[in-house]
Amino acid sequence: MSLTDIIFAGSKTALQIAEESVAKAIAAKGKDYRVAFPETAYSLPLIYAITGNKTSTLDDLQGGLSLVKALIVEEEDLGKALDAGIATAVAAEIIEAVKFVQDDNPYNPPCFGFITDAVIRSWGVGLVMGDIPGVAVIVGECPDKETASNLIKDYQAKGLLTFLVGGVIDQAIAAGIKTGVDLRILPLGYDITSVVHVVSVAIRAALIFGAVPPGQPDEFKQYTAKRVKAFVNALGPLNEVVVAAGAGAIALGFPVLSDQEVPEVPGALMTEKNYDKLVGASLEARGIKIKMTRIPIPVCFAAAFEGERIRKNEMFVEFGGGRTESWELVRQISLTEIEDHKITIIGEDIDILKEIPGKMPLAVLVEVAGKNMQEDFEPVLERRIHYFINYVEGLMHVGQRDTTWIRVGKEAFAKGLRLQHIGEVIYAKMLDEFGAVVDKCQVTLITDENIAKDYKATYAIPKYRARDERIANLTDDTVDTFYSCTLCQSFAPSHVCVVTPERLGLCGAVSWLDSKATFELDPTGPSKPIPKENTLDQVKGSWQSVNEAVQALSQGSLGQITLYSLMEDPMTSCGCFECIAGIMPEANGVIIVNREFSGVSPVGMTFGELASMTGGGVQSPGFMGHGRQFISSRKFISAEGGPGRIVWMPKELKDYVADKLNKTAKELYDIDNFTDMICDETIGTETETVMTFLAEKGHPAFNMESLL
């Protein structure tokens, strides 16, 4: 059989299984039974992307089956064969959807099955910043568990998201590989049809970040081919359905490499039997370039370890966490005061512990010098320590300044990890990431409690206080320059963030000082200065210079934006935003929903459904993506009356912003404990319940000018 014949045969087999699954489900549940994947605003994403129609019942799946049939046109033509590959993916989506009809939770650990919208959005920052350089999909099984372990760990060490389908899942478990969203290794399922959940991630990236309109399949294929850096390793014996599924991957722009003999299609379908070369060949085929800093430590170092958690039973030693003295500080000194690459340990190393798990104090003092270094950059460099330490396999870092909490795992200690290696990591990454401003760096690690306290009083506390005073005086009104951030344009091409002292990037990860430092580090990079010139409307936050910058940086997609208005030309959103504000007309106010909240808001929509209206670089008056910190700013929707308009938000978010928001409300409206007047899901989400609560509290939004 030719390659196309195998693909057509596989697609027809997938169709037959899908038809049987739907027929069986209708017989058991009835044609009007609801069909849905969990926690998504995009129905069955692949069918929705191709047709523009959302699937909601078993009867609607008949339309999906018709789509599969229409895509299978048996001609000796590569294009038609790739269409049959897409047909296989649609059939797989139908089969997987029926699983959720038959069982509310058809997947059990370690398998994930469907990946929710919230998880995809949580990957957004990593994808656009390059911490997640690509996506590896391993289908089938390796010759043995050792080979599987080496392959998976290699991808993990390079920071890739790695999805597992089939027997390789059991091989990973047998090899002791930890899996999970935080570790970027996700077993999907044992059936080949579960691979469609990776396709769904790619399709929803186009919907969430790229604002690709549903019903435009060619645009989706262009988006995934250009912007989703994924590839497939099809390992072990290949049947016709696996080959047809591979054709679907190729149609989306994802090359397939196999350890079996396959008819090669240059750049798309390739054979690589040497496992030592498979990773490199896969990265090269997809055009993924990995920037790795070689650091002399005995464990792996990669962004994929950022989410690793060290449980108490896995812990060798911990520092801080309220149990011991622990703090970290980056401070600038002169070039003459510093000895480059000097790593000093004051006190004992961790191998002196007699009782395991143990606890010790730890102070981390990082001193830097450089001709272009500025004092304002110190906190920017300091915040990166959190990431540098978390990227080390077997280390966990939480907090900042003098609230740090660090754990070292038993396995990392057994491999030889010591304090010297933590110093090596910090030194190497400071020079690697901030080489444009840091010429020299020295690191001091202190485990002597008295000296740690003395250094804290001498160096850390005065520096923290000085920074706090600087930040308190740093407002939108006191600076003459804002900054653009176009990091997300790799996924949302028309989106531009305008970062100000009071309005961080929508993702919450990019502050005004971060943007300033980013520009100094790389003047041609994603952050550019925008002078505040030619004020058009001070209240709404409109400047001619900002409009001109946004128009240029969005390639003409945007003409003008306001920084402080929800209703008139609000700033666009990418898809990585932490929160969404939207109007609740009945209350004459706004609700705010954060990404972590999975329930339905008082406007009848989940975060994902609200996000589907606001993401992808489009302006949606009445709805706006933003970061958590912006909520307590005096500038938050100040054109509509400010934060006094907030009538509902999830309790977790309300508690998070309470102190700062209450202070702002007191200054603006002379209201004490304003957050007590804001409704949350523990009080109610139905309109009537919310309105009753607001009326009882005398919420100020009732007395403000009408929003509409």
Side-chain angles (χ1 to χ4, degrees):
M1 294 175 69
S2 68
L3 177 60
T4 54
D5 288 338
I6 296 172
I7 293 170
F8 289 131
S11 64
K12 288 190 292 184
T13 298
L15 170 60
Q16 182 181 350
I17 297 171
E19 288 177 323
E20 292 171 356
S21 297
V22 172
K24 184 177 178 180
I26 290 176
K29 303 286 188 178
K31 66 179 183 180
D32 295 326
Y33 196 85
R34 183 173 178 268
V35 173
F37 285 126
E39 297 181 40
T40 180
Y42 302 100
S43 183
L44 273 60
L46 183 55
I47 294 175
Y48 180 48
I50 294 172
T51 67
N53 300 320
K54 289 192 173 183
T55 302
S56 56
T57 67
L58 282 171
D59 194 43
D60 291 340
L61 289 179
Q62 302 285 359
L65 292 171
S66 297
L67 173 62
V68 176
K69 294 173 185 176
L71 286 167
I72 301 174
V73 180
E74 294 187 68
E75 297 177 6
E76 192 66 29
D77 176 81
L78 182 58
K80 294 289 192 292
L82 295 181
D83 286 344
I86 295 293
T88 307
V90 175
E93 185 170 61
I94 293 170
I95 294 166
E96 290 293 309
V98 171
K99 288 183 182 179
F100 283 87
V101 170
Q102 297 166 335
D103 186 340
D104 288 340
N105 187 21
Y107 285 96
N108 296 309
C111 296
F112 283 81
F114 186 80
I115 307 298
T116 66
D117 291 356
V119 171
I120 296 173
R121 291 179 188 280
S122 73
W123 288 329
V125 174
L127 288 166
V128 302
M129 297 187 76
D131 286 341
I132 303 176
V135 178
V137 184
I138 304 175
V139 177
E141 61 183 9
C142 297
D144 50 61
K145 68 178 183 180
E146 289 77 19
T147 304
S149 175
N150 291 337
L151 182 65
I152 295 166
K153 285 186 174 181
D154 201 348
Y155 286 135
Q156 184 186 39
K158 290 177 170 58
L160 276 73
L161 270 176
T162 304
F163 295 95
L164 311 179
V165 176
V168 70
I169 296 173
D170 287 336
Q171 292 179 322
I173 294 169
I177 291 179
K178 297 177 182 178
T179 63
V181 172
D182 292 340
L183 293 170
R184 300 184 189 173
I185 300 174
L186 291 92
L188 293 178
Y190 291 96
D191 297 336
I192 183 59
T193 53
S194 64
V195 78
V196 77
H197 298 308
V198 184
V199 176
S200 174
V201 169
I203 291 298
R204 280 179 289 155
L207 288 162
I208 291 170
F209 304 112
V212 177
Q216 303 294 327
D218 288 342
E219 290 190 33
F220 279 92
K221 285 190 265 190
Q222 291 169 9
Y223 183 94
T224 56
K226 183 178 181 180
R227 301 186 184 279
V228 182
K229 299 293 186 180
F231 58 85
V232 178
N233 290 161
L235 309 176
L238 306 176
N239 62 39
E240 57 192 22
V241 177
V242 174
V243 174
I250 292 170
L252 295 172
F254 309 150
V256 177
L257 292 88
S258 178
D259 61 353
Q260 307 295 304
E261 287 291 346
V262 294
E264 296 211 9
V265 179
L269 179 61
M270 291 152 278
T271 296
E272 181 51 77
K273 295 183 179 183
N274 187 338
Y275 275 81
D276 292 335
K277 296 181 179 180
L278 182 58
V279 171
S282 299
L283 297 175
E284 183 180 354
R286 194 62 185 99
I288 299 171
K289 296 181 179 179
I290 306 294
K291 178 185 177 184
M292 295 187 69
T293 304
R294 298 293 178 185
I295 305 174
I297 59 175
V299 294
C300 292
F301 179 88
F305 294 107
E306 181 189 345
E308 184 181 14
R309 292 292 173 262
I310 308 297
R311 309 299 177 190
K312 189 172 183 179
N313 65 321
E314 302 168 328
M315 180 180 74
F316 181 82
V317 64
E318 69 179 342
F319 311 99
R323 299 173 182 85
T324 65
E325 186 71 46
S326 184
W327 54 269
E328 57 198 23
L329 177 73
V330 171
R331 73 180 189 119
Q332 178 186 11
I333 59 178
S334 71
L335 284 163
T336 57
E337 294 178 276
I338 204 164
E339 182 181 335
D340 189 42
H341 203 167
K342 180 182 180 183
I343 298 172
T344 305
I345 299 172
I346 301 176
E348 301 287 352
D349 208 330
I350 60 177
D351 49 12
I352 57 92
L353 288 172
K354 299 292 189 292
E355 185 177 337
I356 308 302
K359 56 185 179 181
M360 298 174 70
L362 180 64
V364 180
L365 176 62
V366 182
E367 294 170 309
V368 296
K371 294 189 291 292
N372 298 318
M373 181 64 193
Q374 299 178 27
E375 191 174 12
D376 271 351
F377 297 163
E378 290 177 346
V380 177
L381 275 62
E382 191 171 293
R383 282 197 299 275
R384 292 298 293 171
I385 295 175
H386 167 79
Y387 297 95
F388 299 161
I389 293 179
N390 271 327
Y391 290 174
V392 179
E393 181 185 19
L395 286 187
M396 183 188 84
H397 181 287
V398 178
Q400 58 179 327
R401 287 192 173 186
D402 57 351
T403 61
T404 54
W405 179 27
I406 302 171
R407 282 183 168 181
V408 179
K410 292 176 183 175
E411 290 185 15
F413 175 81
K415 290 178 180 179
L417 187 73
R418 300 294 185 267
L419 292 178
Q420 175 76 20
H421 300 120
I422 295 176
E424 291 286 359
V425 166
I426 294 171
Y427 169 78
K429 293 302 293 180
M430 283 293 172
L431 270 293
D432 177 53
E433 291 197 6
F434 301 106
V437 296
V438 175
D439 298 329
K440 292 182 179 181
C441 173
Q442 63 186 23
V443 181
T444 303
L445 300 146
I446 307 167
T447 59
D448 182 295
E449 186 169 12
N450 291 329
I451 297 176
K453 288 180 178 179
D454 181 53
Y455 271 52
K456 180 180 178 180
T458 304
Y459 300 112
I461 296 301
K463 183 65 74 173
Y464 296 157
R465 287 174 178 164
R467 289 178 189 168
D468 289 341
E469 291 173 5
R470 164 83 166 122
I471 292 295
N473 295 320
L474 198 63
T475 68
D476 288 10
D477 295 330
T478 60
V479 300
D480 57 11
T481 302
F482 295 152
Y483 287 88
S484 65
C485 179
T486 55
L487 271 171
C488 289
Q489 285 194 351
S490 57
F491 279 81
S494 61
H495 171 63
V496 180
C497 259
V498 177
V499 181
T500 77
E502 295 180 64
R503 183 169 187 165
L504 280 68
L506 310 183
C507 60
V510 181
S511 71
W512 185 84
L513 286 174
D514 291 328
S515 296
K516 180 183 178 184
T518 298
F519 175 71
E520 293 288 338
L521 290 165
D522 182 7
T524 63
S527 292
K528 302 285 192 304
I530 305 175
K532 279 172 54 183
E533 296 173 348
N534 301 323
T535 303
L536 302 178
D537 192 312
Q538 186 76 35
V539 175
K540 294 177 182 176
S542 179
W543 287 268
Q544 183 63 35
S545 58
V546 172
N547 289 338
E548 290 171 355
V550 166
Q551 185 173 34
L553 293 168
S554 68
Q555 294 80 50
S557 298
L558 300 171
Q560 57 188 36
I561 66 167
T562 60
L563 300 184
Y564 313 136
S565 176
L566 179 71
M567 303 301 294
E568 185 177 331
D569 300 322
M571 195 164 77
T572 60
S573 304
C574 49
C576 307
F577 40 80
E578 293 184 300
C579 306
I580 298 172
I583 59 171
M584 184 178 177
E586 303 91 334
N588 197 36
V590 301
I591 65 155
I592 300 176
V593 186
N594 57 303
R595 187 168 58 207
E596 294 78 10
F597 182 69
S598 59
V600 178
S601 70
V603 297
M605 290 184 278
T606 63
F607 177 90
E609 289 165 338
L610 286 164
S612 69
M613 300 167 52
T614 56
V618 297
Q619 287 179 311
S620 305
F623 298 90
M624 176 182 72
H626 58 86
R628 286 178 174 235
Q629 299 295 339
F630 190 40
I631 296 169
S632 57
S633 167
R634 297 168 66 97
K635 298 295 187 181
F636 180 75
I637 61 170
S638 58
E640 286 78 38
R645 286 278 188 186
I646 303 170
V647 297
W648 188 95
M649 68 172 84
K651 189 174 189 309
E652 182 274 326
L653 180 63
K654 186 167 73 171
D655 291 345
Y656 181 87
V657 301
D659 290 345
K660 290 183 179 180
L661 181 55
N662 285 336
K663 181 181 178 182
T664 300
K666 179 66 175 177
E667 294 171 353
L668 290 176
Y669 317 111
D670 196 27
I671 295 175
D672 292 313
N673 302 315
F674 172 61
T675 52
D676 290 344
M677 307 175 79
I678 299 173
C679 193
D680 62 55
E681 79 280 8
T682 67
I683 300 163
T685 57
E686 298 295 327
T687 300
E688 184 177 349
T689 306
V690 174
M691 293 296 288
T692 299
F693 173 84
L694 298 175
E696 289 174 353
K697 295 293 183 180
H699 197 286
F702 284 7
N703 299 317
M704 292 182 176
E705 184 180 345
S706 176
L707 272 173
L708 299 176

